[in-house]
Amino acid sequence: MAEFLNEFPFIVRRGRAESYPFDEWLDGRIVKVIAGVDFRCKPRSFKTHLYYRAKKCGKKVRMAMVGNDIVFQAY
Protein backbone atom coordinates (compact mmCIF):
# COMPACT_ATOMS: atom_id res chain seq x y z
CA MET A 1 0.00 0.00 0.00
CA ALA A 2 1.20 3.55 -0.75
CA GLU A 3 2.61 5.52 2.11
CA PHE A 4 2.11 9.28 2.46
CA LEU A 5 5.03 11.21 3.94
CA ASN A 6 5.08 14.64 5.53
CA GLU A 7 8.71 15.24 4.57
CA PHE A 8 11.52 13.72 2.55
CA PRO A 9 15.10 15.04 2.09
CA PHE A 10 15.14 15.30 -1.71
CA ILE A 11 18.48 16.10 -3.29
CA VAL A 12 18.31 19.39 -5.16
CA ARG A 13 20.21 19.18 -8.41
CA ARG A 14 21.29 22.45 -9.78
CA GLY A 15 21.83 23.03 -13.46
CA ARG A 16 25.09 24.07 -14.94
CA ALA A 17 26.24 27.55 -13.97
CA GLU A 18 25.42 30.12 -16.62
CA SER A 19 28.46 31.10 -18.68
CA TYR A 20 27.22 34.53 -19.70
CA PRO A 21 25.18 37.26 -17.94
CA PHE A 22 22.19 36.99 -20.28
CA ASP A 23 19.78 38.62 -17.81
CA GLU A 24 21.90 41.75 -17.97
CA TRP A 25 22.68 41.55 -21.69
CA LEU A 26 19.07 40.95 -22.78
CA ASP A 27 17.54 43.88 -20.90
CA GLY A 28 16.95 45.98 -24.04
CA ARG A 29 20.19 47.94 -24.20
CA ILE A 30 22.50 47.67 -27.22
CA VAL A 31 25.42 45.42 -26.33
CA LYS A 32 28.70 44.72 -28.13
CA VAL A 33 30.43 41.49 -27.12
CA ILE A 34 34.02 40.90 -28.15
CA ALA A 35 35.16 37.53 -29.48
CA GLY A 36 37.75 35.92 -27.23
CA VAL A 37 36.92 38.28 -24.35
CA ASP A 38 33.16 38.13 -23.76
CA PHE A 39 32.59 34.80 -25.49
CA ARG A 40 34.98 32.01 -26.43
CA CYS A 41 32.97 29.92 -28.89
CA LYS A 42 32.55 30.54 -32.60
CA PRO A 43 30.52 33.69 -33.35
CA ARG A 44 27.90 31.62 -35.19
CA SER A 45 27.43 29.39 -32.13
CA PHE A 46 27.14 32.41 -29.86
CA LYS A 47 24.52 33.98 -32.14
CA THR A 48 22.47 30.77 -32.01
CA HIS A 49 22.73 30.74 -28.22
CA LEU A 50 21.60 34.39 -28.08
CA TYR A 51 18.50 33.64 -30.15
CA TYR A 52 17.69 30.70 -27.89
CA ARG A 53 18.14 32.66 -24.65
CA ALA A 54 16.07 35.59 -25.93
CA LYS A 55 13.25 33.28 -26.98
CA LYS A 56 13.36 31.60 -23.57
CA CYS A 57 12.82 35.05 -21.99
CA GLY A 58 9.92 35.81 -24.36
CA LYS A 59 11.98 38.30 -26.36
CA LYS A 60 13.48 38.60 -29.80
CA VAL A 61 16.97 39.78 -30.59
CA ARG A 62 18.47 41.66 -33.49
CA MET A 63 22.17 41.49 -34.12
CA ALA A 64 24.98 42.41 -36.44
CA MET A 65 28.50 41.10 -36.90
CA VAL A 66 31.36 43.59 -36.63
CA GLY A 67 34.35 41.49 -37.65
CA ASN A 68 34.14 38.56 -35.19
CA ASP A 69 32.41 40.70 -32.56
CA ILE A 70 28.63 40.81 -32.18
CA VAL A 71 26.37 43.79 -31.53
CA PHE A 72 22.85 42.91 -30.40
CA GLN A 73 19.72 44.22 -28.75
CA ALA A 74 16.83 42.30 -27.24
CA TYR A 75 13.31 43.61 -27.73
Side-chain angles (χ1 to χ4, degrees):
M1 179 183 286
E3 181 181 355
F4 293 93
L5 305 174
N6 290 328
E7 291 182 28
F8 185 83
F10 288 104
I11 297 171
V12 178
R13 295 182 186 211
R14 302 192 191 280
R16 203 170 79 173
E18 189 62 59
S19 301
Y20 306 109
F22 285 112
D23 291 338
E24 183 181 338
W25 288 353
L26 296 174
D27 67 358
R29 294 180 287 174
I30 299 172
V31 181
K32 179 180 179 183
V33 290
I34 300 170
V37 176
D38 297 312
F39 65 96
R40 302 205 184 283
C41 59
K42 294 180 182 178
R44 184 174 179 180
S45 297
F46 188 77
K47 287 172 61 175
T48 301
H49 199 58
L50 269 174
Y51 281 121
Y52 168 78
R53 291 296 303 201
K55 185 175 181 179
K56 192 172 176 182
C57 297
K59 298 178 182 181
K60 293 183 180 183
V61 66
R62 56 182 160 212
M63 64 182 77
M65 295 288 298
V66 180
N68 281 332
D69 303 335
I70 301 171
V71 177
F72 63 92
Q73 181 180 29
Y75 61 97

